[in-house]
Amino acid sequence: MFDDVASYYEKLEGTSSRLAMIELFAEMLKKANDKEIAQLVYMTQGRLAPPFEPIETGIAEKFAAEAIAMATGYEAEEVNKRFRKSGDMGLAAEELVKSTKLRRMADGKLSVQDLHATMLKIAGTSGMGSRDTKIKAMASLIASSKPIAARYAVRLALGQLRLGLGDATILEALSVVATGKRELKPKLESAYNICGDLGKVATVLFKEGAKGIEKLDVELFSPIRPALAERLPTAEEILERMGGKCAVESKYDGMRAQVHFDKKSKKIKIFSRNLEVVTDMFPEIARATLSNVSGENGIMEGEAIAYDEVLDAFYPFQETIQRKRKHGVEQISKEMPLHLFAFDLLYHNGKSYLAKTYEERRKELESIVKKGNTVRTSDMEIMSSAKEIEKYFDDAITKGLEGIVAKDLRAPYIAGARKFSWIKMKRSYKNELSDSLDLIIVGYYSGRGSRAEFGFGGLLAAVYNEKRDLFETITRIGTGFTEQQMKDFKELLDKIKTDKKPARVDSVVTPHFWVSPKYVVTVNADEITKSPMHTCGREKNEKGEEIGYALRFPRLTSDGVRKDKSPEDATTTKEIIEMFKMQKKAKVESSGA
Ligand code: ATP
């Protein structure tokens, strides 16, 4: 029953220990059956379906207030009064259900499946009269909920259920349910990397056990979690790591696109780096894939980027990301067509290619992508000397590219992980970090002085610690904002303000306002330093002081909020530590030179 689930949600909200969260969540899942397990997994993460199925209820606070009024017999004004007091429509619903003026319907009989089905129905209602239908359906949900269940049902409908359970925590809880321990997590994680759907992993585990999990394979139109690249600063180190020979490709600074296609049904779906469906952003790439790539079906990966063929010039990321808008895409696709530089083949004619070597995948990719304009293969050469790699790198930079990605010829496609089978090398500026960082906003400061009028003075930003499944702070960012950005940030962040530190944020500093970890921004900095102010990679030093990593002179890049990255796709603590080591080495080398 959803009431029972709601009681667990309440306990989870009051827990900041990850281990306790895993135990609690596992206890809750143990009571579930295989029909509702996927729904529970999605709902606990605040959604109704996996991220690649963009299903939203379309319920705004105003609608919710009307639904609560209808379900409890109070005036909408009374609901709004309570909402204004706490800033939480869920709490308003809970209070009013407690003191409802109406006769209760089947109290506490709301099942997880009924709740989920009604939410889906609400999401699927559109057009004339949909407003009333949505409100009525929501009201009937509230009317059949106990007060505590009403609190969470309303938050879920509004997209405000922020329990803070990350993917890693959910996978560990599933392992505990199946084995009593956390040992099954790596297997569950591999399955998740291949299908990108935690609900599916949970269902297979419940129905078929660990054996079923091992058999989970690539499926067309189910996105594969992307392979990621490690970093190394020099061509020598890259070659050494790759065994003396590797493929070197241009690193295009556009948007990663995973293209799934099936010729027979003429179906095509394009997924972004964080597995959202972005097919509508790239109409020309969708068309070109169907006409220019051979085979019945397949999954290709590549970088979509604005490119001028005549001038052989690449446009900045800003131009590509413009496509992230709803209207007028066809028009801009005419003015500034995008190209897909395909760099991998993950599935073809019904078969998974993940286990094949890079060399085999690349050969097949080149044979199926017909020489065309819009879809083409990425530039690639096989190299075995550092000199050659350096020259290729310099040429790439001259052309306006971001750098290079070297690839291990012998390696399979390692979904969802950052491994040395791909190594990136980017342009490095003197006295600056050689790479920008993607940080999660966890709080913000109100402005002082000239910024007071915007109510915004800077951000508190964090990196992702994969092991702890937590966000650790690394810096405050106070520069690089335009006036417009200050206004925009204030507006954006006010919507996700929380009254206390969010459960998954680890911080020793307190910003003026905490926000739920949701948005990722790209930041440049001069250097990574050690500091007691931040929790990134925090450890006791020899003097017994707790020291973490921080950034020197951080500034926001013009990319703004990275909509193609989720908090868990941000730079990780492990990467910061590696970059710190690289930086130290570079300093020693340059002072010795
Ligand atoms: P970045 O912000 O540097 O792109 P990232 O965290 O998004 O980093 P990484 O794994 O570090 O991802 O770098 C690989 C990214 O580079 C891919 O996600 C892809 O979007 C982009 N890319 C551009 N050209 C290539 C290429 N030829 N091969 C692989 N990835 C490429």
Side-chain angles (χ1 to χ4, degrees):
M1 290 296 128
F2 187 65
D3 295 326
D4 195 28
V5 170
S7 313
Y8 276 104
Y9 282 176
E10 187 175 41
K11 285 188 215 153
L12 280 168
E13 251 179 352
T15 312
S16 54
S17 141
R18 196 164 97 83
L19 283 181
M21 269 187 175
I22 294 172
E23 292 302 323
L24 265 173
F25 189 51
E27 194 183 304
M28 174 184 135
L29 293 183
K30 263 185 206 145
K31 301 182 183 169
N33 62 38
D34 58 15
K35 288 201 186 73
E36 62 195 10
I37 180 75
Q39 298 163 356
L40 276 176
V41 166
Y42 301 138
M43 283 180 353
T44 305
Q45 290 201 309
R47 45 169 84 101
L48 297 170
F52 54 89
E53 282 176 31
I55 300 176
E56 281 176 20
T57 57
I59 291 216
E61 266 143 9
K62 216 169 131 221
F63 287 19
E66 285 185 41
I68 297 167
M70 193 183 278
T72 58
Y74 284 89
E75 293 294 323
E77 188 37 44
E78 176 63 27
V79 184
N80 283 319
K81 209 170 95 195
R82 298 198 183 220
F83 169 58
R84 280 195 296 273
K85 225 160 111 198
S86 66
D88 179 349
M89 197 56 93
L91 283 184
E94 180 175 17
E95 286 169 13
L96 293 175
V97 167
K98 246 184 222 160
S99 56
T100 180
K101 292 184 169 174
L102 304 176
R103 209 158 61 84
R104 301 284 296 147
M105 287 162 53
D107 202 0
K109 293 281 178 321
L110 180 64
S111 74
V112 169
Q113 286 181 65
D114 284 347
L115 173 93
H116 189 262
T118 309
M119 293 269 182
L120 282 189
K121 208 175 95 196
I122 294 175
T125 313
S126 62
M128 281 257 289
S130 66
R131 182 180 176 281
D132 286 351
T133 317
K134 279 182 196 273
I135 292 173
K136 268 193 202 135
M138 193 64 215
S140 85
L141 267 187
I142 297 168
S144 48
S145 301
K146 278 192 179 157
I148 187 172
R151 182 202 309 175
Y152 292 102
V154 166
R155 285 190 192 163
L156 180 65
L158 289 170
Q160 292 170 357
L161 188 88
R162 300 190 188 106
L163 295 174
L165 270 79
D167 295 352
T169 303
I170 294 201
L171 287 168
E172 283 180 40
L174 283 171
S175 171
V176 171
V177 175
T179 63
K181 295 199 198 103
R182 292 195 271 160
E183 65 196 18
L184 200 62
K185 187 191 163 210
K187 278 200 180 132
L188 294 172
E189 192 166 20
S190 309
Y192 174 44
N193 287 338
I194 288 173
C195 71
D197 183 348
L198 276 178
K200 184 167 172 182
V201 172
T203 306
V204 172
L205 181 69
F206 269 50
K207 280 194 175 152
E208 301 166 39
K211 283 229 165 70
I213 290 293
E214 278 166 37
K215 279 193 273 168
L216 251 178
D217 207 352
V218 177
E219 240 178 71
L220 208 51
F221 303 115
S222 235
I224 298 163
R225 299 188 71 223
L228 301 172
E230 276 286 358
R231 300 179 177 80
L232 280 177
T234 64
E236 280 91 8
E237 282 165 275
I238 293 179
L239 260 188
E240 198 185 316
R241 218 43 221 221
M242 296 283 188
K245 190 172 159 194
C246 61
V248 181
E249 299 187 19
S250 301
K251 187 171 195 304
Y252 305 92
D253 190 14
M255 255 185 84
R256 189 169 185 154
Q258 192 180 105
V259 185
H260 292 227
F261 67 91
D262 180 54
K263 293 273 182 66
K264 212 161 151 203
S265 59
K266 288 211 167 59
K267 192 171 158 191
I268 187 145
K269 255 191 190 178
I270 305 179
F271 298 96
S272 66
R273 188 188 185 291
N274 58 352
L275 312 190
E276 281 175 9
V277 180
V278 289
T279 323
D280 292 345
M281 277 173 73
F282 305 126
E284 65 275 60
I285 292 177
R287 281 192 292 268
T289 301
L290 289 176
S291 61
N292 258 0
V293 182
S294 53
E296 278 169 30
N297 51 38
I299 305 176
M300 274 186 316
E301 251 195 336
E303 193 82 350
I305 183 166
Y307 168 65
D308 187 320
E309 207 152 345
V310 180
L311 302 174
D312 188 23
F314 294 92
Y315 289 95
F317 178 71
Q318 235 50 10
E319 301 286 347
T320 310
I321 201 78
Q322 270 204 36
R323 292 293 181 92
K324 217 128 200 184
R325 54 158 95 167
K326 291 224 161 62
H327 304 290
V329 171
E330 277 290 354
Q331 183 55 34
I332 2 176
S333 87
K334 282 193 195 103
E335 289 160 17
M336 171 126 14
L338 292 188
H339 294 254
L340 182 78
F341 288 83
F343 53 70
D344 221 315
L345 183 68
L346 314 182
Y347 181 91
H348 196 230
N349 285 343
K351 282 199 205 88
S352 166
Y353 272 52
L354 298 191
K356 290 186 190 283
T357 62
Y358 169 84
E359 208 164 12
E360 291 165 324
R361 301 196 310 276
R362 178 79 197 191
K363 204 167 147 211
E364 185 76 4
L365 178 72
E366 285 178 6
S367 80
I368 65 167
V369 175
K370 289 184 212 149
K371 296 262 169 302
N373 288 331
T374 305
V375 178
R376 49 179 76 198
T377 50
S378 60
D379 198 33
M380 187 279 287
E381 281 177 42
I382 293 178
M383 297 183 181
S384 48
S385 92
K387 269 227 166 75
E388 271 177 295
I389 300 181
E390 274 156 21
K391 173 152 190 326
Y392 189 91
F393 176 80
D394 290 341
D395 289 350
I397 299 297
T398 316
K399 271 197 217 159
L401 294 160
E402 231 192 339
I404 55 168
V405 188
K407 298 185 177 172
D408 188 337
L409 298 166
R410 309 152 298 183
Y413 184 88
I414 310 174
R418 195 177 292 282
K419 294 276 161 148
F420 280 98
S421 49
W422 285 16
I423 304 175
K424 62 179 168 180
M425 188 162 91
K426 288 204 207 170
R427 195 176 0 193
S428 129
Y429 308 95
K430 239 188 163 164
N431 297 328
E432 281 188 24
L433 278 183
S434 59
D435 202 353
S436 57
L437 306 170
D438 293 316
L439 306 181
I440 309 119
I441 305 175
V442 296
Y444 78 90
Y445 295 86
S446 50
R448 282 205 208 112
S450 64
R451 292 176 174 199
E453 67 172 296
F454 302 110
F456 177 87
L459 300 168
L460 178 64
V463 289
Y464 177 50
N465 185 323
E466 286 170 297
K467 267 212 185 118
R468 300 175 68 207
D469 197 16
L470 284 181
F471 304 107
E472 299 174 337
T473 71
I474 186 165
T475 195
R476 275 175 64 161
I477 309 163
T479 46
F481 304 101
T482 61
E483 289 191 0
Q484 189 58 43
Q485 271 177 325
M486 289 197 247
K487 278 187 209 149
D488 293 348
F489 269 120
K490 166 104 174 94
E491 199 185 315
L492 194 71
L493 298 178
D494 273 351
K495 292 198 186 113
I496 53 164
K497 258 198 309 208
T498 59
D499 49 7
K500 54 179 197 257
K501 184 170 71 61
R504 287 168 74 209
V505 174
D506 185 14
S507 178
V508 288
V509 290
T510 308
H512 292 140
F513 303 101
W514 292 109
V515 300
S516 293
K518 178 169 178 178
Y519 296 114
V520 174
V521 285
T522 305
V523 171
N524 279 325
D526 279 7
E527 214 184 349
I528 299 171
T529 56
K530 292 237 172 167
S531 156
M533 296 290 289
H534 291 287
T535 50
C536 166
R538 208 156 194 253
E539 263 182 353
K540 271 208 173 89
N541 66 8
E542 57 286 357
K543 287 188 210 144
E545 302 154 336
E546 298 261 16
I547 302 284
Y549 294 85
L551 300 182
R552 212 161 89 87
F553 295 136
R555 54 214 175 259
L556 203 71
T557 67
S558 54
D559 290 352
V561 173
R562 284 288 303 258
K563 297 247 166 72
D564 61 332
K565 288 201 175 177
S566 308
E568 279 94 355
D569 299 325
T571 304
T572 61
T573 304
K574 190 169 157 244
E575 288 179 80
I576 294 289
I577 298 174
E578 277 163 13
M579 288 168 87
F580 182 74
K581 283 189 203 146
M582 274 201 263
Q583 174 189 293
K584 233 163 116 181
K585 215 167 126 199
K587 269 193 190 162
V588 172
E589 276 165 14
S590 68
S591 65

